[in-house]
């Protein structure tokens, strides 16, 4: 059959289609320029989630502005010590991910998996502490709008952290089964974006609810 | 620059890029096989084809349109006479709530998303949306939300707090039953569906344009969808918050909207209208994008002021975020604040005026062919203009204080929503029906439908301005005799029934054409954008050879010239039939769309519909506080999503 006369840049298609093995480099080759669609998808997801947190924190400050007494309902403002400590733990949990990225570039999969595990454990520790803090809260949601929003905002963040931990487990599994490698960074990049977002979101929550 | 005479798909294709294989049926068959989906219901439930999903959106939305229209007709029957007894007040409350919610959230938004889903890859010159399975997920979520709302009406437990479900009316104290809970739930689901669609459209436009389609060559409809999507990303979370907090207050004992316990009732309105204001422009912009697409085709002249139009879209999108308080002008907001928002709301008229100027200029520069799509566009131009004027009136604070929540407001928003969004949607149907089905709608019947709709529209909605100025409030189930309102109400009710006849004519047109309509070619209108270069209906893979784009109206460019090639074989090899064979599409990067890689379309999958169903089941379990249902839905959803994330690597993305 005839091949096109002007530059479609397509090859002779008379033979069988070029077989590409799933997992082989050609199919998963990174772009020569610009970010992958999946990366951008995560960026937009984070933008919308950031708006969600902005909305809920605006609600927090709105209620605060119209309140004579803060916290409302005679609640004690929360202590800073332990939450502050574990906030630092959560921020630290984002750091091993750059170690993971560096290891991935060099093809050191054990380094990748170790870094991912450290990150995950730090995040998990934060979540466990969050559970204890939650139980220790003296107010229930129905006490006041302050109490409702406190529970809601911390709970909303906790939900995002649970999702991040689930994602982390999937990434760890992919690392362990050879689905990540040099030139195949996308999954780790996307995960790092989301994990970083969860960390930053907590900082915003912490400053708004505990410090301010 | 003007167009050549309308041509066939082959002529257009040869102008762009000589197709290598119209004479190789065996290759075409192999490509078709690689894109095949399973037959019947299974195929539909597992589809990842953006065209199929787009059609599903449009068809579902039109069912909603008809249902919501019947609700309106029932309300008009009640209001045709003073002290009518067709409906009792409780039912009336459910009807106007459902009518508004369904029209805005379950018809207008989804139908435009449906057109976007269908058209974006075709207009951009690619074979898929960025995230095909996510697109399917968006649709199933929407469908299930729509069914949920419809079922509440059937169970006589429909929401009845108005389409905005404002607190405290919508709080448990004044609204018992599950109606408002269902409302909140459906709203959250549709919100998530809109956001996922928005992400899809944005990334598709960023990364999957045909080589050479620089940012000043992107079709205006695509730009309008980009603007809509950006707005959705930043506005819809507010809606999710408003509805979510309302649901939690009603179901979980939180007190965010209870003044007695430190909450605030007005907070709800701030959250809701922070979304509500941009939302109406999220509906208007794609409609305007449709208008900007059809006018050049009807006049065979490139759109005047392309860059002005894009900037106007951006201006409308941004300005729409600083007007929300004008929906709250009678709630006791301090005058200074209300004044700021009044000014901000009025300024939005300026970019809209710019758009009108572009359209009029285009029509003056060319010769207008009043095809049926162009008739509906003309109807839009006239009707939306009236809505703009009444809108400017309403944005003035003194006027608003007199006419808020009166029939003047009802007149205004029907002029801008029915005139400003529904007319372009009908224009879009007549314009793209041939492309979607390979058959051409009856133009004579189309003209009848247009004229009946256009004239009865005025009969129905214009008198509402007068009623509002005479003092008739909205959302009332009846009125007394002797107020001077009776004759106007009767006129409106008659007009509404006649308008329904106009709509019906188009439906009959569609039904008849699908059965034995006249077959049509690839390019019956002499269009300028890429969707007219493929057969009608398009093959699943859209383009056999991805065309190179050399202008904003690619089909009107002179022939010749080579495809852009960046030397990256993986990227450019996806452009031709081999790429179609491998289900691949070229990824382009940068403002000038240079090939930089490829993506491969995923195989059809059950995951989207399962994940959507799981989300809905979980939410229903939450609403009815059935923990077992909630847990089952949550578990199924988690499994589906984790399986999905596992799959993406295997697909070679």
């Amino acid at each position: 059959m005839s091949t096109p006369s002007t530059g479609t840049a397509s090859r002779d298609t008379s033979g069988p289609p070029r077989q590409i093995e799933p997992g082989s480099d050609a199919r998963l080759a990174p772009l020569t320029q610009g970010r992958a669609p999946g990366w951008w998808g995560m960026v937009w997801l984070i933008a919308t989630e950031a708006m969600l947190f902005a909305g809920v924190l605006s609600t927090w400050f709105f209620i605060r502005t119209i309140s004579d007494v803060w916290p409302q309902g005679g609640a004690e403002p929360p202590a800073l010590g332990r939450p502050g400590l574990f906030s630092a733990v959560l921020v630290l949990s984002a750091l091993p991910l750059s170690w993971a990225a560096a290891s991935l570039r060099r093809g050191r999969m054990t380094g990748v998996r170790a870094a991912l595990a450290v990150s995950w454990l730090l995040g998990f520790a934060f979540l466990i502490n969050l559970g204890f803090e939650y139980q220790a809260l003296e107010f229930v949601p129905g006490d006041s709008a302050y109490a409702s929003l406190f529970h809601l905002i911390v709970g909303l963040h906790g939900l995002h952290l649970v999702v991040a931990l689930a994602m982390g487990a999937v990434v760890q599994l992919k690392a362990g089964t050879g689905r990540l490698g040099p030139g195949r960074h996308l999954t780790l990049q996307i995960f790092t974006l989301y994990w970083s977002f969860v960390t930053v979101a907590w900082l915003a929550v912490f400053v708004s609810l505990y410090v301010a | 620059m003007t167009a050549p005479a309308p041509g066939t798909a082959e002529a257009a294709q040869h102008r762009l890029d000589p197709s290598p294989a119209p004479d190789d049926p065996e290759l075409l068959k192999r490509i078709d096989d690689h894109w095949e989906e399973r037959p019947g219901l299974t195929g539909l439930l597992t589809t990842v084809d953006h065209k199929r999903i787009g059609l599903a959106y449009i068809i579902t939305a039109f069912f909603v349109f008809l249902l919501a229209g019947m609700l309106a007709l029932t309300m008009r029957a009640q209001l045709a006479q003073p002290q009518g007894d067709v409906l009792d007040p409780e039912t009336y409350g459910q009807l106007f709530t459902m009518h508004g919610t369904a029209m805005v959230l379950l018809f207008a938004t989804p139908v435009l998303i449906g057109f976007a889903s269908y058209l974006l890859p075709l207009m951009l010159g690619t074979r898929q949306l960025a995230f095909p399975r996510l697109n399917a997920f968006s649709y199933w979520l929407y469908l299930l939300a729509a069914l949920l709302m419809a079922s509440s009406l059937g169970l006589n437990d429909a929401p009845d707090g108005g389409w905005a479900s404002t607190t405290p009316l919508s709080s448990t104290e004044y609204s018992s039953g599950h109606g408002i809970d269902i409302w909140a739930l459906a709203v959250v689901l549709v919100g998530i569906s809109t956001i996922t669609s928005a992400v899809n459209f944005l990334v598709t436009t960023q990364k999957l344009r045909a080589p050479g389609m620089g940012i000043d060559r992107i079709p205006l409809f695509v730009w309008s969808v980009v603007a809509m999507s950006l707005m959705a990303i930043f506005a819809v979370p507010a809606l999710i918050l408003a509805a979510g907090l309302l649901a939690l207050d009603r179901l979980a004992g939180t007190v965010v909207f209870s003044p007695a316990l430190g909450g605030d009732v007005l907070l709800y309105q701030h959250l809701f209208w922070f979304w509500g204001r941009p939302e109406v422009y999220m509906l208007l912009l794609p409609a305007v994008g449709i208008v900007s697409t059809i006018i050049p085709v009807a006049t065979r002249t490139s759109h005047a002021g392309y860059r002005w139009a894009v900037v106007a879209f951006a201006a409308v999108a941004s300005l729409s975020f600083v007007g929300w308080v004008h929906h709250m002008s009678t709630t006791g907001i301090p005058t200074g604040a209300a004044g700021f928002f009044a000014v901000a709301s009025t300024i939005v008229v300026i970019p809209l005026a710019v758009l009108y100027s572009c359209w009029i200029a285009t029509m003056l520069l060319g010769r207008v062919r009043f095809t049926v799509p162009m008739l509906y566009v003309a109807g839009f131009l006239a009707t939306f203009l009236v809505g703009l004027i009444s809108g400017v009136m309403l944005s003035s604070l003194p006027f608003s204080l007199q006419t808020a929540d009166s029939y003047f407001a009802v007149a205004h928003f029907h002029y801008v929503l029915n005139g400003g969004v529904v007319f372009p949607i009908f224009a879009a149907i007549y314009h793209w029906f041939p492309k979607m089905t390979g058959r051409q709608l009856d133009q004579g019947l189309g003209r009848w439908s247009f004229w009946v709709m256009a004239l009865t529209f005025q009969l129905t909605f214009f008198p509402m301005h007068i009623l509002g100025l005479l003092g008739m409030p909205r959302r009332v189930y009846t009125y007394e005799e002797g107020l001077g309102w009776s004759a106007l109400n009767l006129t409106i009710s008659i007009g509404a029934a006649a308008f329904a006849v106009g709509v019906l004519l188009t439906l009959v047109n569609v039904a008849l054409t699908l059965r034995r309509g006249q077959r049509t070619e690839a390019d019956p209108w002499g269009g300028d954008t890429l969707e007219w270069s493929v057969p009608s209906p398009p093959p699943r893979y859209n383009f056999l050879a991805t065309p190179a784009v050399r202008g904003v109206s690619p089909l009107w460019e002179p022939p010749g010239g080579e495809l852009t090639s960046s030397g990256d074989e993986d990227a450019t090899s996806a452009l031709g039939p081999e790429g179609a064979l491998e289900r691949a599409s070229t990824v382009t990067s940068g403002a000038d769309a240079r090939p930089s890689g490829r993506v491969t379309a995923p195989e059809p999958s059950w995951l989207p519909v399962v994940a959507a169903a799981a989300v809905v089941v979980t939410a229903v379990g939450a609403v009815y506080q059935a923990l077992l249902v909630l847990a089952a839905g949550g578990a199924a959803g988690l499994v589906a999503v984790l399986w999905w994330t596992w799959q993406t690597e295997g697909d070679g993305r």
Side-chain angles (χ1 to χ4, degrees):
Chain A
M1 55 145 277
S2 58
T3 41
S5 49
T6 59
T8 52
S10 61
R11 307 194 190 101
D12 176 16
T13 50
S14 54
R18 182 167 63 122
Q19 289 299 332
I20 301 185
E21 296 305 316
S24 78
D25 282 349
R27 245 179 144 179
L28 299 171
L31 303 183
T32 55
Q33 180 195 353
R35 298 283 192 173
W39 187 90
W40 276 109
M42 178 52 79
V43 165
W44 293 120
L45 177 72
I46 289 175
T48 214
E49 299 268 278
M51 264 321 266
L52 192 66
F53 274 93
V56 90
L57 289 176
S58 299
T59 302
W60 172 263
F61 285 111
F62 182 95
I63 295 287
R64 180 167 173 169
T65 309
I66 62 164
S67 302
D68 301 322
V69 166
W70 193 260
Q72 296 172 342
E76 284 296 311
L80 282 182
R82 230 172 74 188
L85 174 68
F86 276 89
S87 300
V89 165
L90 189 63
V91 171
L92 285 175
S93 75
L95 300 177
L97 294 177
S98 12
W99 168 27
S103 300
L104 190 60
R105 269 194 295 275
R106 290 194 211 100
R108 301 236 194 98
M109 295 313 294
T110 35
V112 174
R113 297 172 60 190
L116 283 172
V118 170
S119 220
W120 198 94
L121 287 170
L122 289 174
F124 189 66
F126 178 88
L127 189 68
I128 297 292
N129 179 62
L130 199 70
F132 284 123
E133 299 269 348
Y134 222 73
Q135 281 194 317
L137 281 177
E138 284 164 352
F139 44 80
V140 294
D143 282 350
S144 65
Y146 166 88
S148 297
L149 286 172
F150 195 98
H151 276 83
L152 277 173
I153 296 173
V154 172
L156 184 68
H157 181 268
L159 196 63
H160 283 74
L161 183 56
V162 167
V163 168
L165 287 169
M167 258 195 226
V170 171
V171 178
Q172 182 70 264
L173 216 55
K174 286 193 177 184
T177 54
R179 290 169 124 88
L180 303 185
R184 285 198 265 141
H185 303 263
L186 191 58
T187 304
L188 185 61
Q189 281 179 339
I190 291 176
F191 173 65
T192 305
L193 275 175
Y194 191 71
W195 191 272
S196 311
F197 163 71
V198 170
T199 309
V200 171
W202 173 255
L203 283 178
V205 168
F206 182 69
V207 166
S208 305
L209 268 56
Y210 288 81
V211 175
Chain B
M1 196 208 62
T2 53
T8 60
E10 277 163 14
Q13 192 78 1
H14 278 283
R15 270 205 298 278
L16 292 177
D17 164 40
S19 165
D23 53 347
D24 189 349
E26 197 243 309
L27 174 64
L28 288 179
K29 172 92 181 30
R30 276 164 57 219
I31 297 177
D32 271 330
D33 286 344
H34 281 227
W35 287 80
E36 202 175 45
E37 295 191 337
R38 277 168 273 183
L41 190 62
T42 310
L44 184 59
L45 292 171
T46 57
T47 185
V48 290
D49 180 355
H50 70 94
K51 299 180 288 299
R52 241 178 138 180
I53 292 168
L55 279 174
Y57 260 110
I58 295 169
I59 294 169
T60 308
F62 261 89
F63 269 105
V64 173
F65 183 61
L66 293 177
L67 242 100
M70 288 197 280
L71 296 180
L73 287 177
T74 317
M75 288 192 280
R76 286 315 320 176
Q78 163 67 9
L79 290 174
Q81 291 172 318
Q83 312 286 26
D85 55 5
V86 174
L87 297 168
D88 61 85
E90 286 75 29
T91 313
Y92 190 86
Q94 291 183 14
L95 289 194
F96 71 65
T97 304
M98 289 293 279
H99 171 78
T101 310
M103 280 299 192
V104 174
L105 283 166
L106 301 175
F107 161 65
T109 311
V111 83
L112 291 169
I113 288 178
F115 273 105
S117 168
Y118 192 101
L119 290 170
L120 241 64
L122 286 167
M123 283 186 163
L124 293 173
T126 189
R127 298 189 174 110
Q128 58 170 88
L129 282 171
F131 309 115
R133 286 170 301 192
L134 191 65
N135 193 33
F137 173 80
S138 301
Y139 171 72
W140 296 117
L141 210 58
Y142 153 63
L143 176 68
L144 292 170
L147 289 173
L148 210 58
M149 282 284 259
S151 72
S152 76
L153 198 58
L155 297 171
N156 201 30
D157 197 9
D160 57 355
W163 88 278
S165 268
T166 310
T167 54
L169 176 64
S170 55
S171 305
T172 332
E173 192 184 341
Y174 297 102
S175 292
S176 54
H178 278 298
I180 308 273
D181 303 320
I182 298 286
W183 179 91
L185 170 63
V187 160
V188 170
L189 293 175
V190 171
I192 297 173
S193 173
T194 307
I195 290 177
T196 48
S197 293
V199 172
N200 226 334
F201 299 148
L202 282 172
V203 181
T204 307
T205 310
Q206 285 176 277
K207 305 303 300 191
L208 288 175
R209 308 198 297 277
M213 187 180 280
I215 55 173
D216 56 348
R217 294 175 181 172
I218 295 177
L220 283 171
F221 177 68
V222 178
W223 273 122
S224 69
V225 171
V226 165
M228 179 201 84
S229 304
L230 282 170
M231 293 166 77
I233 300 261
F234 292 104
V236 177
L239 175 70
I240 292 179
L241 260 184
L245 289 176
L246 179 64
L248 285 169
D249 262 26
R250 289 174 57 87
L251 297 168
T254 55
V255 291
V256 179
F257 301 125
S258 304
L261 288 166
D264 189 73
V265 160
L266 226 51
L267 171 64
Y268 176 88
Q269 293 191 39
H270 281 293
L271 286 170
F272 183 86
W273 287 111
F274 187 83
W275 164 82
R277 187 81 211 121
E279 162 69 6
V280 301
Y281 292 103
M282 278 163 58
L283 297 177
L284 182 69
L285 285 181
V288 151
I290 290 169
V291 169
S292 279
T293 306
I294 293 178
I295 291 184
V297 175
T299 56
R300 298 179 189 236
T301 308
S302 285
H303 196 280
Y306 171 90
R307 288 183 189 181
W308 286 95
V310 177
V311 170
F313 292 162
V316 170
S318 331
L319 286 170
S320 70
F321 275 90
V322 284
W324 81 91
V325 175
H326 79 231
H327 293 272
M328 301 163 61
S329 56
T330 55
T331 57
I333 300 278
T335 319
F340 167 80
F341 284 97
V343 171
S345 305
T346 320
I347 293 180
V348 159
V349 169
I350 297 175
L352 292 171
V354 167
L355 286 169
Y356 263 85
S357 307
C358 294
W359 296 326
I360 294 171
T362 312
M363 292 192 287
L364 288 175
L365 285 170
R367 251 187 64 209
V368 186
R369 297 178 292 156
F370 279 103
T371 56
V372 177
M374 188 60 201
L375 278 175
Y376 275 101
V377 164
F380 155 84
L381 289 172
T383 314
F384 183 69
L385 188 61
V386 175
L388 268 181
I389 295 170
S390 64
V392 169
M393 291 165 78
L394 279 169
S395 67
S396 146
L397 204 49
F399 188 88
S400 173
L401 287 171
Q402 292 296 314
T403 53
D405 284 321
S406 74
Y407 261 81
F408 193 92
V410 177
H412 162 70
F413 64 67
H414 279 95
Y415 264 81
V416 291
L417 286 176
N418 194 334
V421 178
V422 171
F423 273 66
I425 288 171
F426 273 72
I429 290 174
Y430 280 89
H431 188 66
W432 279 297
F433 190 91
K435 176 56 57 188
M436 292 175 174
T437 62
R439 294 177 191 270
Q440 179 63 289
L441 286 168
D442 186 297
Q443 301 299 292
L445 198 49
R447 280 169 206 283
W448 271 100
S449 179
F450 164 72
W451 282 110
V452 173
M453 281 174 70
L455 295 173
T456 57
F457 179 96
Q458 309 303 329
L459 192 68
T460 311
F461 294 106
F462 195 84
M464 291 187 184
H465 292 108
I466 305 170
L467 265 182
L469 293 173
L470 287 176
M472 182 170 179
R474 64 188 283 201
R475 295 177 173 155
V476 291
Y477 82 104
T478 192
Y479 52 94
E480 284 182 354
E481 280 190 49
L483 290 170
W485 298 351
S486 311
L488 288 169
N489 268 294
L490 185 60
T491 311
I492 293 169
S493 295
I494 294 171
F499 184 79
V501 170
V503 170
L504 222 63
L505 287 177
T506 291
L507 289 177
V508 166
N509 201 348
V510 167
L512 289 177
T513 307
L514 284 175
R515 278 185 141 227
R516 44 191 182 90
Q518 176 200 3
R519 290 222 178 257
T520 187
E521 61 209 357
D523 188 11
W525 306 113
D528 60 329
T529 38
L530 290 174
E531 77 269 26
W532 303 107
S533 73
V534 296
S536 302
R540 276 209 209 287
Y541 48 87
N542 295 348
F543 298 92
L544 193 59
T546 307
V549 170
R550 283 182 289 275
V552 71
S553 299
L555 265 64
W556 293 349
E557 293 291 326
E562 291 195 358
L563 260 189
T564 314
S565 159
S566 74
D568 176 55
E569 250 207 290
D570 265 340
T572 50
S573 64
L575 293 171
E578 187 190 78
L581 203 54
E582 291 163 358
R583 297 173 64 91
S585 300
T586 301
V587 173
T588 55
S589 297
D592 51 350
R594 261 169 289 131
S596 58
R598 57 156 63 191
V599 287
T600 310
E603 298 288 327
S605 160
W606 284 101
L607 290 170
V609 67
V610 169
V615 168
V616 175
V617 166
T618 311
V620 170
V623 165
Y624 288 98
Q625 288 160 333
L627 285 178
L628 212 59
V629 174
L630 195 157
L638 195 65
V639 167
V641 169
L642 290 177
W643 193 334
W644 193 337
T645 61
W646 191 258
Q647 283 250 305
T648 52
E649 194 79 274
D651 286 351
R653 190 68 51 71

